[in-house]
Amino acid sequence: MRLWDETIDGYRPEAQAMLENLFDALPSAEGEEDDLPEDPVARARIQRQNAIALEPEPSSMAVEATIPGPAGNIPVRLFEPEEPRAIFLQIHGGGWILGRPQMADVASENLVKNHGLAVLSVGYRLAPEHPYPAGPDDCEAAAAWILEHGPERWGTDKMLIGGGSAGAHLAAVTLLRVRDRLSAIDRVLGANLLFGCYDLRGTPSTFGNGGNPDVLDPPGFQFMIESFTPGMSETERRDPDVSPLFADLSGLPPCLVTVGTYDHLLDDSLFFAVRLAAAESPVELAVYPDSPHGFMFLPTEMTKAHAARFNAWIASLLP
């Protein structure tokens, strides 16, 4: 069974050349882990500052606001077209320990301009200062706020959920909580899940991706998991609210599951998509060869193909 077509296959030489040039230009990561503090909080704070330097320019369309949360106000960024067709809950990545809603400004602008969606990008609490369930609780609170205020504020009671990496994990968890805790899955049009982690015990590719170039590395990713779920046993990490791969995945709206073959989280996406299909929940699996974690930030034809597929998928769901 082929996971991509001949057109995508033709983009592989460009993708390989891009990765070779990219990783040759990057400074060596050898010894980088040893240079970071042992204290998890101090280490996370350094990584957050480094991540902020890589953020795109903030969007002039974004409005900063707060919404009520389980531990106080939650910062959000709102993108609001005049007549929204639905509301998109945007959940940023960053391994549960770093990142801000600003990371998703470019994606949020696309959703407004190309699809007429309102967007709420949520600034959930980060580990290790706020481990599980703080982040998922904040994302659930954001979903509940959208469901309550969407009709009066945006004139629609329909929403979508999406995110990348840890954001995809939180999007999947939130999707299940909307079904099981909020009893509102009928109001969710779909979920966009980009190279997420769905089994926090680790899948085969988490530990080794054949030596292919990737921005993730097993030791660094393990630090993120330990920060998010400190002291948890493997049995505890199998809880469906922690690892949604173990959840009942029936009765969910359409999901687009996207991943590259060089990604250390490849197996998470493959396993999750197959389990969705087996549960008879509508799912599309989009696999891009020779592509690392976060590949859609690279200026390649593979990235354009991903964007075209995503835009067609989301357009098919909108009223």
Side-chain angles (χ1 to χ4, degrees), residues 163-280:
S165 194
H169 165 269
L170 292 169
V173 170
T174 303
L175 187 68
L176 293 166
R177 289 187 177 200
V178 169
R179 182 193 67 185
D180 300 337
R181 300 186 183 188
L182 304 180
S183 300
I185 199 64
D186 59 308
R187 294 168 63 181
V188 182
L189 299 175
N192 180 44
L193 306 174
L194 298 165
F195 41 81
C197 177
Y198 310 111
D199 182 354
L200 271 66
R201 304 170 311 153
T203 57
S205 62
T206 306
F207 300 101
N209 70 340
N212 293 310
D214 191 25
V215 297
L216 289 182
D217 69 279
F221 190 64
Q222 190 59 41
F223 168 74
M224 293 174 175
I225 291 175
E226 291 290 346
S227 295
F228 179 58
T229 57
M232 278 194 183
S233 65
E234 283 209 357
T235 299
E236 291 169 323
R237 287 187 177 133
R238 280 199 298 270
D239 185 305
D241 196 54
V242 178
S243 293
L245 185 66
F246 292 89
D248 169 13
L249 299 179
S250 62
L252 296 178
C255 295
L256 178 60
V257 179
T258 301
V259 73
T261 61
Y262 284 0
D263 198 322
H264 277 83
L265 299 180
L266 170 64
D267 288 342
D268 284 74
S269 289
L270 298 181
F271 297 169
F272 197 65
V274 171
R275 289 213 66 238
L276 282 165
E280 299 184 83

Side-chain angles (χ1 to χ4, degrees), residues 16-221:
Q16 293 167 356
M18 173 65 70
L19 283 183
E20 184 176 346
N21 293 335
L22 176 66
F23 281 85
D24 283 348
L26 291 176
S28 173
E30 185 175 353
E32 185 176 325
E33 296 290 325
D34 295 335
D35 292 337
L36 292 169
E38 291 187 10
D39 176 67
V41 173
R43 174 173 172 171
R45 287 175 178 169
I46 290 173
Q47 292 177 310
R48 286 171 198 160
Q49 290 302 313
N50 293 338
I52 289 173
L54 300 176
E55 288 179 0
E57 286 293 319
S59 170
S60 61
M61 297 175 61
V63 175
E64 294 188 353
T66 61
I67 60 173
N73 287 337
I74 302 171
V76 299
R77 286 172 76 78
L78 300 175
F79 295 74
E80 301 179 285
E82 289 187 7
E83 296 183 4
R85 302 170 69 188
I87 309 112
F88 195 103
L89 173 57
Q90 186 83 266
I91 306 176
H92 70 78
W96 307 281
I97 68 170
L98 53 86
R100 304 188 299 171
Q102 289 89 330
M103 289 173 59
D105 274 10
V106 173
S108 297
E109 281 195 358
N110 171 60
L111 293 169
V112 174
K113 294 176 180 178
N114 294 333
H115 302 288
L117 295 176
V119 180
L120 186 152
S121 192
V122 57
Y124 56 89
R125 286 170 290 166
L126 299 174
E129 296 95 325
H130 306 286
Y132 173 87
D137 287 351
D138 287 354
C139 293
E140 179 189 350
W145 190 88
I146 289 172
L147 292 167
E148 179 181 355
H149 296 281
E152 65 186 49
R153 182 167 184 137
W154 295 300
T156 176
D157 66 352
K158 301 300 183 183
M159 66 180 292
L160 301 101
I161 300 173
S165 194
H169 165 269
L170 292 169
V173 170
T174 303
L175 187 68
L176 293 166
R177 289 187 177 200
V178 169
R179 182 193 67 185
D180 300 337
R181 300 186 183 188
L182 304 180
S183 300
I185 199 64
D186 59 308
R187 294 168 63 181
V188 182
L189 299 175
N192 180 44
L193 306 174
L194 298 165
F195 41 81
C197 177
Y198 310 111
D199 182 354
L200 271 66
R201 304 170 311 153
T203 57
S205 62
T206 306
F207 300 101
N209 70 340
N212 293 310
D214 191 25
V215 297
L216 289 182
D217 69 279
F221 190 64

